Amino acid sequence: MRADQPPKLRTEIPGPLSRELAARLAQVECPEVTWQGGPLVFWEKAEGSNVYDVDGNRYVDLLAGFGVAALGYAHPELAVRAARQSETLPHAMGDVYPARLKVELLETLQRVLPGSLGLAILSSSGSDAVESALKTALVATGKPGVIAFEGAYHGLGLGALDTTWREHFRAPFAGRLAGRTTFVPYGDARTAERAITSDTGAILVEPIQGRGGLRIPPPGFLAELREIATRAGVLLICDEVYTGLGRTGAWLASEHEGVEPDIVALGKALGCGFPISACVGRPEVMRAWGAAQGEAVHTSTHLGNPLGCALALLVLQILERDALAQRARQLGERALLYLRAELAGAPGVVEVRGKGLMLGIELETREAANAAVRGALESGWILLGEGDDGRVLSITPPLTIAEDVLDGGLVRLVELLSR
Ligand code: PLP
């Protein structure tokens, strides 16, 4: 694989081929599916931290494609593995006649995850993994109520959506939502405790809110939730779809506070480009599902897909072998120090925060964030505004990003925000 390179633009952004594709897309895709908040750039190929668009422009993806490309794009070992697996067994009947690889992936997840987290349900998206966790909580406690947090993003499937906070996503489907979620302020464990009723089966929390605006709760919050959940006899579900698998400098972000959740949801980086996710729980909790009585009550066609399992298995091995959580911690600490120093007192900057390679720059206005995202794109750096009002610039690059290339992106960002 070629080393990461700085951006190189050949056309205006978006280029003519991207503009043409945007017009064609509008004729064939439902309008509420693709982002319309700025110029649409269509991707052609990607390698490491670099993405190339259809017009031949080279970018650096400071988002790792929503945190998915933790090992960078087209990692050579993953590419070889994917090709080999496609030639031998691209699909199996995951819940009836599973692939050998399903067992190997589940064994590896059990080995690498902390504590006793060890029985899993595989699935395809982060939303699926959260829904497996919500079903497990109901099966294990008999109680459908969930405490979730303002700002939370747990996915858009009709089950997970009930626990996602933003009205923008919920309102059109309100009539289909179970309405069994109580939202309390993020970071406020005492209010969460007071919200627990005889109907509550679980507390569902992101250790750091990603799509909610890179929000880091006060120290001790997660540990306090753990104690509260244990005391009240409810389950603690950590949604680590974004934060998990090294991103914040540990396998799981909940480890920073020494917390072992009852259930964890993983996705995004797990397949590093192949859609695979997992809900992993403590054995006592997962065994509440009881012995199977024949046909499985919770499964799907692509569950345990061998291609996905092969890639996820290799992703876990590479994360471990190359100590990428540790690298994320070191690069993240350096980036945070640099951004804090350079942006101290910059007009319109509210706060710079982060943990590992999950960094956020909160700006005063959505307009300022949009301008920065656009300015960055027009100079070849990909980032996005997150949060309910899109004011927080999110920086979540591949954990493998070349240091000098990351530095170049941060320098450019500081330039854009210091104008
Ligand atoms: N949970 C968290 C914390 C997420 O950040 C996301 C997606 O961004 C999801 C769940 C949903 O994942 P997916 O989009 O794969 O369904």
PDB file of all heavy atoms in Angstrom, residues 125-128 130 153-155 206 211 239 241-242 268, ligand 1:
ATOM      1  N   SER A 125     -25.688  -3.976  10.676  1.00  0.00           N
ATOM      2  CA  SER A 125     -25.491  -2.533  10.892  1.00  0.00           C
ATOM      3  C   SER A 125     -25.416  -2.228  12.384  1.00  0.00           C
ATOM      4  O   SER A 125     -25.799  -3.057  13.225  1.00  0.00           O
ATOM      5  CB  SER A 125     -26.665  -1.752  10.288  1.00  0.00           C
ATOM      6  OG  SER A 125     -27.829  -1.989  11.048  1.00  0.00           O
ATOM      7  N   GLY A 126     -24.998  -1.006  12.699  1.00  0.00           N
ATOM      8  CA  GLY A 126     -24.970  -0.581  14.092  1.00  0.00           C
ATOM      9  C   GLY A 126     -26.372  -0.583  14.679  1.00  0.00           C
ATOM     10  O   GLY A 126     -26.583  -0.991  15.833  1.00  0.00           O
ATOM     11  N   SER A 127     -27.312  -0.141  13.882  1.00  0.00           N
ATOM     12  CA  SER A 127     -28.699  -0.126  14.324  1.00  0.00           C
ATOM     13  C   SER A 127     -29.168  -1.548  14.685  1.00  0.00           C
ATOM     14  O   SER A 127     -29.819  -1.759  15.713  1.00  0.00           O
ATOM     15  CB  SER A 127     -29.545   0.458  13.176  1.00  0.00           C
ATOM     16  OG  SER A 127     -30.874   0.560  13.515  1.00  0.00           O
ATOM     17  N   ASP A 128     -28.788  -2.527  13.858  1.00  0.00           N
ATOM     18  CA  ASP A 128     -29.136  -3.938  14.155  1.00  0.00           C
ATOM     19  C   ASP A 128     -28.559  -4.361  15.507  1.00  0.00           C
ATOM     20  O   ASP A 128     -29.217  -5.060  16.279  1.00  0.00           O
ATOM     21  CB  ASP A 128     -28.497  -4.908  13.143  1.00  0.00           C
ATOM     22  CG  ASP A 128     -29.046  -4.797  11.750  1.00  0.00           C
ATOM     23  OD1 ASP A 128     -30.131  -4.230  11.581  1.00  0.00           O
ATOM     24  OD2 ASP A 128     -28.375  -5.297  10.821  1.00  0.00           O
ATOM     25  N   VAL A 130     -27.791  -2.551  18.076  1.00  0.00           N
ATOM     26  CA  VAL A 130     -28.531  -1.918  19.174  1.00  0.00           C
ATOM     27  C   VAL A 130     -29.874  -2.629  19.364  1.00  0.00           C
ATOM     28  O   VAL A 130     -30.302  -2.888  20.492  1.00  0.00           O
ATOM     29  CB  VAL A 130     -28.736  -0.410  18.886  1.00  0.00           C
ATOM     30  CG1 VAL A 130     -29.725   0.206  19.854  1.00  0.00           C
ATOM     31  CG2 VAL A 130     -27.397   0.319  18.947  1.00  0.00           C
ATOM     32  N   TYR A 153     -27.523   8.960  19.618  1.00  0.00           N
ATOM     33  CA  TYR A 153     -27.769   8.409  18.280  1.00  0.00           C
ATOM     34  C   TYR A 153     -27.488   6.919  18.350  1.00  0.00           C
ATOM     35  O   TYR A 153     -26.352   6.497  18.574  1.00  0.00           O
ATOM     36  CB  TYR A 153     -26.869   9.068  17.230  1.00  0.00           C
ATOM     37  CG  TYR A 153     -27.240   8.644  15.828  1.00  0.00           C
ATOM     38  CD1 TYR A 153     -28.157   9.365  15.075  1.00  0.00           C
ATOM     39  CD2 TYR A 153     -26.698   7.491  15.256  1.00  0.00           C
ATOM     40  CE1 TYR A 153     -28.520   8.972  13.791  1.00  0.00           C
ATOM     41  CE2 TYR A 153     -27.058   7.087  13.972  1.00  0.00           C
ATOM     42  CZ  TYR A 153     -27.963   7.833  13.250  1.00  0.00           C
ATOM     43  OH  TYR A 153     -28.329   7.435  11.978  1.00  0.00           O
ATOM     44  N   HIS A 154     -28.542   6.127  18.180  1.00  0.00           N
ATOM     45  CA  HIS A 154     -28.370   4.676  18.247  1.00  0.00           C
ATOM     46  C   HIS A 154     -28.804   3.991  16.955  1.00  0.00           C
ATOM     47  O   HIS A 154     -28.934   2.771  16.926  1.00  0.00           O
ATOM     48  CB  HIS A 154     -29.147   4.113  19.437  1.00  0.00           C
ATOM     49  CG  HIS A 154     -28.671   4.632  20.763  1.00  0.00           C
ATOM     50  ND1 HIS A 154     -27.417   4.339  21.264  1.00  0.00           N
ATOM     51  CD2 HIS A 154     -29.250   5.457  21.676  1.00  0.00           C
ATOM     52  CE1 HIS A 154     -27.258   4.944  22.445  1.00  0.00           C
ATOM     53  NE2 HIS A 154     -28.346   5.633  22.718  1.00  0.00           N
ATOM     54  N   GLY A 155     -29.077   4.775  15.917  1.00  0.00           N
ATOM     55  CA  GLY A 155     -29.475   4.170  14.651  1.00  0.00           C
ATOM     56  C   GLY A 155     -30.917   4.501  14.316  1.00  0.00           C
ATOM     57  O   GLY A 155     -31.655   5.065  15.146  1.00  0.00           O
ATOM     58  N   GLU A 206     -23.972   5.948  25.088  1.00  0.00           N
ATOM     59  CA  GLU A 206     -22.711   6.019  24.337  1.00  0.00           C
ATOM     60  C   GLU A 206     -21.657   6.596  25.303  1.00  0.00           C
ATOM     61  O   GLU A 206     -21.887   7.663  25.872  1.00  0.00           O
ATOM     62  CB  GLU A 206     -22.841   6.981  23.154  1.00  0.00           C
ATOM     63  CG  GLU A 206     -23.806   6.551  22.071  1.00  0.00           C
ATOM     64  CD  GLU A 206     -24.292   7.758  21.270  1.00  0.00           C
ATOM     65  OE1 GLU A 206     -23.639   8.115  20.286  1.00  0.00           O
ATOM     66  OE2 GLU A 206     -25.333   8.345  21.633  1.00  0.00           O
ATOM     67  N   ARG A 211     -22.384  11.150  16.978  1.00  0.00           N
ATOM     68  CA  ARG A 211     -23.248  11.944  16.116  1.00  0.00           C
ATOM     69  C   ARG A 211     -23.947  13.051  16.906  1.00  0.00           C
ATOM     70  O   ARG A 211     -24.417  14.023  16.342  1.00  0.00           O
ATOM     71  CB  ARG A 211     -24.266  11.042  15.424  1.00  0.00           C
ATOM     72  CG  ARG A 211     -23.562   9.981  14.569  1.00  0.00           C
ATOM     73  CD  ARG A 211     -24.170   9.829  13.226  1.00  0.00           C
ATOM     74  NE  ARG A 211     -24.488  11.072  12.605  1.00  0.00           N
ATOM     75  CZ  ARG A 211     -25.470  11.241  11.717  1.00  0.00           C
ATOM     76  NH1 ARG A 211     -26.214  10.215  11.402  1.00  0.00           N
ATOM     77  NH2 ARG A 211     -25.694  12.398  11.163  1.00  0.00           N
ATOM     78  N   ASP A 239     -23.386   1.549  23.925  1.00  0.00           N
ATOM     79  CA  ASP A 239     -23.357   1.578  22.467  1.00  0.00           C
ATOM     80  C   ASP A 239     -21.984   2.087  22.050  1.00  0.00           C
ATOM     81  O   ASP A 239     -21.691   3.282  22.119  1.00  0.00           O
ATOM     82  CB  ASP A 239     -24.473   2.498  21.941  1.00  0.00           C
ATOM     83  CG  ASP A 239     -24.470   2.576  20.418  1.00  0.00           C
ATOM     84  OD1 ASP A 239     -23.499   2.107  19.805  1.00  0.00           O
ATOM     85  OD2 ASP A 239     -25.440   3.120  19.855  1.00  0.00           O
ATOM     86  N   VAL A 241     -20.682   1.494  19.037  1.00  0.00           N
ATOM     87  CA  VAL A 241     -20.616   1.375  17.581  1.00  0.00           C
ATOM     88  C   VAL A 241     -19.578   2.351  17.027  1.00  0.00           C
ATOM     89  O   VAL A 241     -18.807   2.017  16.129  1.00  0.00           O
ATOM     90  CB  VAL A 241     -22.013   1.614  16.969  1.00  0.00           C
ATOM     91  CG1 VAL A 241     -21.949   1.839  15.467  1.00  0.00           C
ATOM     92  CG2 VAL A 241     -22.935   0.432  17.280  1.00  0.00           C
ATOM     93  N   TYR A 242     -19.533   3.554  17.589  1.00  0.00           N
ATOM     94  CA  TYR A 242     -18.572   4.565  17.129  1.00  0.00           C
ATOM     95  C   TYR A 242     -17.267   4.485  17.928  1.00  0.00           C
ATOM     96  O   TYR A 242     -16.167   4.502  17.395  1.00  0.00           O
ATOM     97  CB  TYR A 242     -19.196   5.959  17.283  1.00  0.00           C
ATOM     98  CG  TYR A 242     -18.769   6.967  16.231  1.00  0.00           C
ATOM     99  CD1 TYR A 242     -19.660   7.927  15.769  1.00  0.00           C
ATOM    100  CD2 TYR A 242     -17.486   6.955  15.704  1.00  0.00           C
ATOM    101  CE1 TYR A 242     -19.293   8.854  14.802  1.00  0.00           C
ATOM    102  CE2 TYR A 242     -17.110   7.869  14.740  1.00  0.00           C
ATOM    103  CZ  TYR A 242     -18.007   8.821  14.294  1.00  0.00           C
ATOM    104  OH  TYR A 242     -17.642   9.725  13.334  1.00  0.00           O
ATOM    105  N   LYS A 268     -19.486  -0.352  12.731  1.00  0.00           N
ATOM    106  CA  LYS A 268     -18.539   0.507  12.011  1.00  0.00           C
ATOM    107  C   LYS A 268     -17.194  -0.175  11.729  1.00  0.00           C
ATOM    108  O   LYS A 268     -17.064  -0.879  10.745  1.00  0.00           O
ATOM    109  CB  LYS A 268     -18.343   1.815  12.776  1.00  0.00           C
ATOM    110  CG  LYS A 268     -19.596   2.715  12.747  1.00  0.00           C
ATOM    111  CD  LYS A 268     -19.259   4.094  13.252  1.00  0.00           C
ATOM    112  CE  LYS A 268     -20.486   4.988  13.400  1.00  0.00           C
ATOM    113  NZ  LYS A 268     -21.014   5.485  12.139  1.00  0.00           N
TER     114      LYS A 268
HETATM  115  N1  PLP B   1     -24.806   3.765  17.372  1.00  0.00           N
HETATM  116  C1  PLP B   1     -23.915   4.751  17.256  1.00  0.00           C
HETATM  117  C2  PLP B   1     -23.213   5.235  18.484  1.00  0.00           C
HETATM  118  C3  PLP B   1     -23.645   5.332  16.018  1.00  0.00           C
HETATM  119  O1  PLP B   1     -22.757   6.333  15.930  1.00  0.00           O
HETATM  120  C4  PLP B   1     -24.319   4.833  14.885  1.00  0.00           C
HETATM  121  C5  PLP B   1     -24.071   5.429  13.566  1.00  0.00           C
HETATM  122  O2  PLP B   1     -23.456   6.452  13.409  1.00  0.00           O
HETATM  123  C6  PLP B   1     -25.247   3.796  15.049  1.00  0.00           C
HETATM  124  C7  PLP B   1     -25.464   3.270  16.302  1.00  0.00           C
HETATM  125  C8  PLP B   1     -25.999   3.250  13.882  1.00  0.00           C
HETATM  126  O3  PLP B   1     -25.152   2.539  13.051  1.00  0.00           O
HETATM  127  P1  PLP B   1     -25.604   2.217  11.554  1.00  0.00           P
HETATM  128  O4  PLP B   1     -25.648   3.507  10.824  1.00  0.00           O
HETATM  129  O5  PLP B   1     -24.541   1.275  11.060  1.00  0.00           O
HETATM  130  O6  PLP B   1     -26.935   1.563  11.645  1.00  0.00           O
END
